[in-house]
Amino acid sequence: MRINEENDGVSASRDHLVFAYYVTGHGFGHATRVVEVARQLILAGHDVHVVTGAPDFVFTSEIQSPRLFIRKVLLDCGAVQADALTVDRLASLEKYHETAVVPRASILEAEIEWLNSIKADLVVSDVVPVACRAAADAGIRSVCVTNFSWDFIYAEYVMAAGNHHRSIVWQIAEDYSHCEFLIRLPGYCPMPAFRDVIDVPLVVRRLHKSRKEVRKELGIGDDVKLVILNFGGQPAGWNLKEEYLPSGWLCLVCGASNQELPPNFIKLAKDAYTPDLIAASDCMLGKIGYGTCSEALAFKLPFVFVRRDYFNEEPFLRNMLEYYQSGVEMIRRDLLTGHWKPYLERAISLKPCYEGGINGGEIAAQILQETAIGKNYASDKLSGARRLRDAIILGYQLQRAPGRDAFIPEWYASAENEMGISGGSPTYQSSESGSIMRSCTEDFEILHGDPRDYPDTIGFLKSLAELDAVHDSEKSGETRRERKAAAGLFNWEDEIFVSRAPGRLDVMGGIADYSGSLVLQLPIREACHVAVQMNHPSKHRLWKHAQARQQAKGQGSTPVLEIVSYGSELSNRGPTFDMDLSDFMDGDQPISYEKAKEYFAKDPSQSWAAYVAGGILVLMTELGVRFEDSISMLVSSAVPEGKGVSSSASVEVASMAAIAAARGLNISPRDLALLCQKVENHIVGAPCGVMDQMTSACGEANKLLAMVCQPAEIIGLVEIPSHIRFWGIDSGIRHSIGGADYGSVRVGTYMGRKMIKSTASSILSRSLPNGDGLNLDDLEDVGVELLEDEASLDYLCNLSPHRYEALYAKVLPESILGETFLEKYADHHDPVTVIDPKRTYGVRAPAKHPVYENFRVKAFKALLTSATSDEQLTALGELLYQCHFSYSVCGLGSDGTDRLVQLVQEIQHGKLSKSKEGTIYGAKITGGGSGGTVCVVGRNSLRSSEQILEIQQRYKKATGYLPFLFEGSSPGSGKFGYLKIRRIPNKLN
C-alpha cells in the first residue's frame, strides 16, 4: 500500500490520543527521525510518550511541549560498535541476549503495565521488537516505522559470528509479526516479518535557519568550501591534520573528542542542530545511516561516505544515494591517512537530483493518527506466520526474490550487475554465440588461446570491448561505478591476459578432504573470468585517489595493483581495491602471510581482495617471483557467492592463472591449485582443504575429478555414466567456509585424530588405564603394525571403519572444552586452526565422519562403474543421504538444506514415483555445510529434470525463495589455458 506525497498535513482529530513511541538503542539516527513524526503528532494535539535511551536534548531541542513525555528505558541494544566504523557482530548478539532475551519476561510484564497505565491508543516502534509483542499482549494495536528491521541485521551476525544465537532472529521476527503493518521509509531492506506495508517519503527534520544565517553565525563566507564531518564519533586513534583538506576548505566536526583541532577544522557543540549545518555545507563526509542519507538527499548535498563493517542496512541506502547522484565512496585507508582531496573535489562536481518528497514525518503521523482512531490499513493478504516463513525461518540471511514486491524502486533493484544477471560474468545462449564470437574477433586480436568453445568467455570479451565506451561516458547515473572503474583499468593498445576457472559441485567427499579422504568433484558450468594487464608504472592508468597517494609519498611512479570486482553489491563489498606493491615487501623480502592477513582484514569491505591479490604474495614467497610492473585486474565471476560451490576457489585459481600467464610463468594446474590453497588458508584465513582449488584447476567437463587429499593426489577422472546425472539446488542460506561452525568441526576432527593417536600409543605401550571403555584382554591379538600406523596417523581417513569402532569409538568424548584438551594433549596439530580454550568442541561426530565418508566415497566410485540398474541408482542415492545426515550430526546442517533433501525424499518415495520408474534417488548437503547447495543424483531423463523443477517450486512455495539450479559442467583452468588479446586499433575510441 502506498501513500501519496501530497496531503493537507495532520489535522487535529476529535479525540485526544496517546501514543507510546519506542526508539531502538542504536545510535541517534532513529531518535532524530522519531522527533519529526512525534512533532507532527503533538502539533495535532496528541500526547507522545517516547521510550528511549537517547539523550533528552535530541527531542527537547526540537519539541518544547508538555505533551512530550520521555521515559528513559533501553529495551534493545542495536549493533555494538567497536568504533565509529566497526560493528562487533558477536558482541552485538551477546549484548542483545543480555539486554532483551534474559530479562524478556520482566520486560513484557513491565511494558504491559506501563502501556495500560498511560492508556495508550497506539504503540509505535522504530524498531524495537519487544514493543510489538507487549502491545499485542496489552490488547493495543502497534505499527512499526523504519527502513530496516533487526532480524535482517542480526541474520548476518548469526551466520558469521554466533550460530548458537540464531533463536534471537526467530524471536525478533515473531515479535514484529504482531504489529499491524509497517510504515516503510525509502532506502529500505527486505523485511518479510511484516504483514503489510505502506511506503512514505523521506522523514527529514525541518530547517531552523537558512544557509546564509548559519554561515554568518559561524563567520564563514559564502564562497568558502565547507565539508561537515559526521561520523557520530571519530574512529579510534584518529588525529585530524590540516593537510587533510584541500587549500581554502573548512571542516565542521560533529561529535569531536577533546583533542585540539587544526585551524581549518571547527568543533561543533554536542547539541548542535545538524540539519541546519548540513544544509549550509558544500558536502558531507561520514558513514551511511538513514539520518545522514535522508538529509543529504533532501538538501541536495553530495555525500562522501565510508563503509561500515557488517551493517546490512548500508547497501540499500548506498544504492539510493548513488541513484540520485549524491554519493562518493571513500576507501577507509584514505580516510584515516588523510587523502581526502580527490574525493571532496569529486563530490562538489556532482549534481544531486533527488526531487521526491521530504514530508514523510507528516504523512506517517497522519497514518498513525488514523490507525489509532480505528482505521484499518492492514489487508491481511499474508499472515504474519506466512511472512515469517518468507526466508527467515529457512534463511537467517534474507534474500530478495525478483518480483516479490510490487513497489521495489529502481535504487533498490540495483543489486544485479551491469549485465542484468545475478553473477558477474554474462551468460549467453549458444544460439547467439556465433554472432557474438564474430563481434568479439572484430574487437580483439586473439594472440594466444581459443575462446570458441566457451560462450561465457566470449561474453566476457564482449563486455571488455564495451568498457571503452563506458570510459568516455558522462552519464554517471546510467553506468555502475564498478563498470566506470573498470573502464579506466587498461591500456587498450597493450596485451591483456584472460583466464577462466569454474566453481565445483561437491558430489562426494566434502569436509573429509582435510582428513585425507577420496573426493569426487564436478566442475560446474558457472565460472570466474579474470583479465590482467602488466605495465611499466609510468604507463599505468591510476585512479585519482591512488595518484594522490603516490604524489603524497613523493616517490614518483611505483608499481601499483588495481583491482575491479563485478557484482560487489551482491555481498556488500567495495567494488575496487588498490595498493602499492611495495606494501608486500619488508626490506628485500616478502612480508609474512600473517602480516598480509592483517593487512587485508583492516577494512572488511575490501577484504575480498585477499583472494585475488593474495596470489601475488604467494608467488613472491613460494616461487621467488618479483613484480616490477604495475598490475591491473578485472574479476568477473558468475559463480554465486555463499552457495557452497567454491566461488572463492574459482576466483583464486582464475586470478593466479591470469597473473602467471601475464608474468610468463609456467605452473602446472596441480601446483597452481596447491598455491591457491595457501592463499585461502594463510592470507584469507579460511581453513579449507584443497579439493576446491584442485577441481577448479584440474577438472574436466562432465567428469568427476577423483582425488585423494593426502595432500592432493589426483587418481583420475571418473566418467559419469550416460544414464546418471547430477544437479545442484541452492537453499538460499548463505554458506561461509570461514564461518564458526566449519572451523569448530575441523578443530574437533583434529582433536579426535590426536586422541586416537594417543590411544594407539597407549595400547602399544600397555599403559592404557582401565575404565576407558577398552578391555585389554581383548587386545592380545591386535596387530602391532596396525597400531603403529594408527599411533602415527597422518590422516583420519587412513583409519578403517571397523578399526574405529573396535578400538576408538568408545574412547572419544562427545565433546571437550578447549582448555581441557590443551592441558592433556598440548596441541591438535592443525596448521590452519587455533583452539579457543573457552569453547566446547564436538569430537566424536567430527572424527567419525571422515572415517566413514572415505568408505562411502570409495563405494560410490565403484558403483558408478557397476552394471546399470535401479539398484545401482538406489545405492548411490543412499550414500548421499548417509553423508547428509552425518553432516547434521557434526552440526553442519541447516534447515534449508534439510528441507531440500526432504523434498527429494518425498519425490522419490511418492506414489507417482512408485507407480512409474524412479528418477530421483538421493541428495546431500555439499562443501563446508551450514547452508549452501545440495547435490542431487538421478536418472538422466526429461522426467528427472521436471522433478528437479518441481522441487524448486515447492521450496519457493514454502520459503518465498526460488533456488538457483546448477546444471551442466565446464573444464577447469588448466584445460582452458589462457587468452592473450589485444584491442584491434581501428576499434579504439
Side-chain angles (χ1 to χ4, degrees):
M1 185 180 301
R2 186 176 290 277
I3 295 293
N4 293 326
E5 293 169 7
E6 297 79 12
N7 70 92
D8 298 323
V10 183
S11 59
S13 67
R14 293 178 224 157
D15 301 314
H16 169 76
L17 300 173
V18 177
F19 293 87
Y21 211 138
Y22 287 81
V23 188
T24 190
H26 181 76
F28 287 178
H30 297 263
T32 56
R33 70 188 182 203
V34 166
V35 165
E36 182 59 21
V37 180
R39 187 178 71 84
Q40 295 288 344
L41 290 170
I42 289 170
L43 282 174
H46 307 305
D47 287 356
V48 178
H49 294 255
V50 177
V51 183
T52 181
D56 287 4
F57 75 80
V58 175
F59 303 93
T60 56
S61 62
E62 178 66 359
I63 305 173
Q64 295 88 34
S65 170
R67 294 190 180 279
L68 173 68
F69 303 87
I70 299 175
R71 176 172 170 244
K72 301 304 283 290
V73 177
L74 192 63
L75 298 178
D76 67 359
C77 61
V80 175
Q81 295 186 208
D83 58 42
L85 293 173
T86 307
V87 172
D88 187 327
R89 293 173 289 181
L90 183 56
S92 297
L93 294 172
E94 291 175 342
K95 184 68 173 177
Y96 187 87
H97 184 265
E98 174 190 326
T99 305
V101 176
V102 173
R104 180 177 173 83
S106 60
I107 287 174
L108 284 171
E109 182 181 356
E111 294 312 301
I112 293 167
E113 182 181 350
W114 177 74
L115 288 170
N116 287 326
S117 71
I118 66 169
K119 297 182 171 55
D121 295 292
L122 185 70
V123 170
V124 189
S125 180
D126 184 355
V127 61
V128 181
V130 75
C132 303
R133 179 57 184 266
D137 289 353
I140 304 168
R141 301 170 79 185
S142 64
V143 175
C144 285
V145 183
T146 187
N147 65 302
F148 75 85
S149 55
W150 286 112
D151 49 352
F152 178 75
I153 303 299
Y154 286 157
E156 173 76 12
Y157 303 174
V158 167
M159 289 300 296
N163 201 45
H164 55 293
H165 283 306
R166 66 183 184 180
S167 60
I168 286 175
V169 177
W170 288 42
Q171 186 63 70
I172 290 173
E174 197 274 333
D175 283 347
Y176 286 146
S177 73
H178 289 285
C179 102
E180 291 279 315
F181 57 87
L182 165 69
I183 295 177
R184 187 168 61 180
L185 307 178
Y188 57 80
C189 307
M191 293 181 280
F194 296 99
R195 286 182 295 179
D196 233 321
V197 171
I198 300 173
D199 285 302
V200 299
L202 289 174
V203 175
V204 181
R205 289 179 290 175
R206 61 178 178 162
L207 295 179
H208 293 170
K209 299 174 183 176
S210 69
R211 171 189 170 98
K212 188 173 182 179
E213 289 172 327
V214 172
R215 284 187 170 239
K216 184 177 180 181
E217 287 182 6
L218 293 171
I220 298 172
D222 199 51
D223 57 335
V224 175
K225 294 299 180 189
L226 187 63
V227 56
I228 181 166
L229 188 66
N230 193 359
F231 276 96
Q234 295 178 26
W238 189 28
N239 291 314
L240 298 170
K241 297 180 181 178
E242 186 173 353
E243 59 267 25
Y244 285 7
L245 297 177
S247 178
W249 282 57
L250 293 177
C251 180
L252 306 177
V253 183
C254 301
S257 61
N258 293 325
Q259 71 180 77
E260 196 68 31
L261 293 180
N264 51 352
F265 287 80
I266 301 170
K267 186 185 301 184
L268 296 172
K270 288 194 174 181
D271 59 353
Y273 191 63
T274 53
D276 288 348
L277 295 162
I278 288 172
S281 300
D282 294 292
C283 66
M284 177 160 52
L285 172 56
K287 61 185 179 183
I288 288 182
Y290 182 84
T292 52
C293 283
S294 62
E295 288 167 358
L297 289 172
F299 307 139
K300 291 186 168 56
L301 189 78
F303 188 179
V304 180
F305 61 85
V306 182
R307 295 190 190 221
R308 277 186 290 178
D309 307 341
Y310 315 121
F311 202 70
N312 290 357
E313 172 193 20
E314 192 168 282
F316 301 91
L317 294 171
R318 187 173 65 246
N319 286 345
M320 183 170 66
L321 269 180
E322 293 176 352
Y323 181 77
Y324 292 114
Q325 299 182 43
S326 299
V328 175
E329 180 173 356
M330 178 185 282
I331 298 170
R332 182 182 303 190
R333 181 173 72 245
D334 288 341
L335 170 75
L336 299 178
T337 56
H339 294 296
W340 295 7
K341 183 178 178 180
Y343 300 99
L344 297 178
E345 291 177 345
R346 166 65 180 152
I348 61 172
S349 73
L350 296 179
K351 294 180 172 56
C353 59
Y354 180 78
E355 299 293 346
I358 58 173
N359 59 340
E362 188 178 332
I363 293 174
Q366 180 180 335
I367 296 168
L368 294 173
Q369 176 182 279
E370 292 176 348
T371 303
I373 60 177
K375 182 170 180 177
N376 183 23
Y377 279 97
S379 66
D380 287 325
K381 60 179 180 288
L382 289 176
S383 70
R386 170 59 200 274
R387 297 290 276 183
L388 254 99
R389 289 202 305 272
D390 187 4
I392 292 184
I393 288 180
L394 294 174
Y396 315 130
Q397 169 93 10
L398 305 187
Q399 301 191 32
R400 178 177 63 83
R404 229 173 65 197
D405 192 323
F407 299 122
I408 293 176
E410 292 176 74
W411 51 261
Y412 182 96
S414 65
E416 285 74 28
N417 78 350
E418 66 287 347
M419 301 297 175
I421 57 170
S422 60
S425 294
T427 301
Y428 293 90
Q429 298 298 322
S430 57
S431 61
E432 301 173 355
S433 62
S435 61
I436 296 171
M437 179 62 195
R438 285 192 297 274
S439 172
C440 168
T441 54
E442 290 172 3
D443 293 322
F444 289 104
E445 182 183 0
I446 309 295
L447 304 173
H448 180 275
D450 187 353
R452 282 180 295 184
D453 292 333
Y454 304 90
D456 58 342
T457 303
I458 295 169
F460 176 69
L461 295 180
K462 186 64 180 173
S463 73
L464 272 182
E466 292 168 352
L467 289 178
D468 231 0
V470 173
H471 187 61
D472 291 341
S473 173
E474 296 297 327
K475 298 180 180 179
S476 59
E478 297 178 9
T479 306
R480 291 181 58 80
R481 278 189 307 134
E482 56 196 30
R483 293 273 290 171
K484 292 176 70 178
L489 271 179
F490 301 118
N491 290 316
W492 295 107
E493 63 274 13
D494 294 330
E495 295 169 352
I496 298 172
F497 294 81
V498 175
S499 64
R500 178 190 184 279
R504 66 96 188 95
L505 181 65
D506 167 35
V507 175
M508 286 294 287
I511 58 167
D513 64 341
Y514 55 72
S515 295
S517 178
L518 171 67
V519 297
L520 298 173
Q521 305 296 307
L522 179 68
I524 59 176
R525 180 176 58 191
E526 292 75 16
C528 174
H529 287 85
V530 174
V532 168
Q533 186 178 76
M534 294 187 182
N535 280 311
H536 188 274
S538 62
K539 291 180 63 181
H540 191 70
R541 298 172 73 170
L542 284 175
W543 294 321
K544 286 185 178 179
H545 65 267
Q547 191 173 23
R549 189 170 63 241
Q550 282 211 347
Q551 289 172 350
K553 290 182 178 180
Q555 298 174 344
S557 297
T558 57
V560 171
L561 169 66
E562 293 183 326
I563 309 171
V564 175
S565 174
Y566 283 168
S568 59
E569 292 301 333
L570 298 173
S571 56
N572 189 22
R573 53 182 166 80
T576 64
F577 173 84
D578 64 273
M579 64 178 289
D580 295 335
L581 284 172
S582 60
D583 291 346
F584 274 154
M585 297 297 291
D586 184 3
D588 60 352
Q589 294 298 314
I591 62 173
S592 68
Y593 290 152
E594 188 59 36
K595 283 186 178 178
K597 182 180 175 182
E598 293 172 3
Y599 179 93
F600 288 110
K602 286 178 182 177
D603 185 352
S605 73
Q606 293 200 312
S607 62
W608 59 268
Y611 295 97
V612 182
I616 295 173
L617 181 61
V618 168
L619 290 173
M620 293 168 67
T621 303
E622 305 299 328
L623 302 185
V625 180
R626 294 294 181 265
F627 295 88
E628 304 298 331
D629 288 335
S630 289
I631 304 173
S632 298
M633 302 183 70
L634 174 62
V635 181
S636 178
S637 183
V639 184
E641 296 178 35
K643 300 189 185 303
V645 290
S646 298
S647 59
S648 60
S650 66
V651 170
E652 291 157 357
V653 171
S655 298
M656 190 177 287
I659 293 166
R663 188 64 175 75
L665 305 175
N666 186 15
I667 306 174
S668 71
R670 179 183 181 277
D671 289 344
L672 188 92
L674 290 170
L675 291 169
C676 289
Q677 187 196 18
K678 289 183 181 294
V679 174
E680 186 136 9
N681 284 172
H682 302 300
I683 299 177
V684 175
C688 69
V690 74
M691 72 175 189
D692 298 354
Q693 291 82 2
M694 202 64 74
T695 308
S696 188
C698 306
E700 291 192 19
N702 300 309
K703 295 178 182 177
L704 298 178
L705 183 77
M707 181 177 70
V708 176
C709 302
Q710 300 189 17
E713 180 189 348
I714 296 175
I715 62 174
L717 295 162
V718 180
E719 295 281 351
I720 300 173
S722 59
H723 67 287
I724 294 176
R725 188 172 179 184
F726 298 100
W727 295 265
I729 308 178
D730 163 44
S731 66
I733 299 176
R734 188 173 179 84
H735 151 88
S736 171
I737 201 169
D741 289 337
Y742 178 91
S744 64
V745 170
R746 176 164 175 150
V747 169
T749 303
Y750 276 82
M751 284 178 164
R753 188 191 66 165
K754 178 73 172 181
M755 293 176 181
I756 286 170
K757 291 171 69 174
S758 178
T759 301
S761 297
S762 297
I763 296 172
L764 278 172
S765 63
R766 288 293 185 265
S767 62
L768 184 72
N770 292 324
D772 278 354
L774 293 174
N775 186 336
L776 295 181
D777 294 336
D778 295 338
L779 299 177
E780 296 300 327
D781 297 327
V782 169
V784 173
E785 287 186 10
L786 279 175
L787 283 170
E788 287 176 344
D789 288 342
E790 289 156 7
S792 58
L793 194 66
D794 287 330
Y795 297 98
L796 265 178
C797 290
N798 291 338
L799 182 66
S800 63
H802 77 272
R803 292 285 293 176
Y804 170 81
E805 293 295 346
L807 297 181
Y808 306 111
K810 294 179 181 177
V811 175
L812 297 181
E814 192 73 34
S815 61
I816 191 170
L817 183 67
E819 188 175 37
T820 305
F821 177 88
L822 291 171
E823 287 173 358
K824 185 171 182 179
Y825 298 100
D827 191 10
H828 66 325
H829 298 294
D830 178 13
V832 296
T833 59
V834 177
I835 295 174
D836 180 353
K838 302 301 181 185
R839 181 164 188 168
T840 298
Y841 295 92
V843 174
R844 188 180 302 160
K848 178 180 178 180
H849 174 82
V851 173
Y852 278 84
E853 181 70 359
N854 189 46
F855 178 81
R856 285 190 289 263
V857 182
K858 289 178 179 178
F860 195 95
K861 181 173 178 289
L863 278 167
L864 285 173
T865 60
S866 65
T868 302
S869 67
D870 196 59
E871 287 75 18
Q872 175 203 33
L873 283 159
T874 300
L876 290 170
E878 177 60 28
L879 290 169
L880 290 186
Y881 286 139
Q882 288 183 18
C883 172
H884 177 80
F885 292 112
S886 183
Y887 263 71
S888 296
V889 174
C890 289
L892 292 175
S894 75
D895 293 338
T897 48
D898 285 350
R899 179 175 284 267
L900 283 170
V901 171
Q902 181 184 345
L903 288 171
V904 169
Q905 290 177 321
E906 290 173 3
I907 292 285
Q908 179 186 0
H909 301 298
K911 290 183 179 179
L912 191 60
S913 291
K914 287 183 177 180
S915 65
K916 300 180 180 180
E917 187 178 17
T919 59
I920 301 294
Y921 289 87
K924 65 177 273 286
I925 195 170
T926 61
S930 298
T933 296
V934 301
C935 172
V936 182
V937 65
R939 195 178 295 278
N940 187 11
S941 67
L942 177 61
R943 185 152 175 271
S944 295
S945 296
E946 291 171 347
Q947 289 180 325
I948 293 294
L949 292 174
E950 182 183 346
I951 291 168
Q952 183 190 39
Q953 292 300 322
R954 286 170 67 173
Y955 189 81
K956 180 188 177 185
K957 185 177 180 181
T959 68
Y961 175 74
L962 183 69
F964 189 101
L965 294 183
F966 294 97
E967 300 180 274
S969 181
S970 67
S973 172
K975 196 77 172 175
F976 177 86
Y978 68 89
L979 300 178
K980 182 164 70 170
I981 62 175
R982 184 168 51 213
R983 197 83 156 93
I984 294 174
N986 61 8
K987 291 291 182 178
L988 291 172
N989 284 341

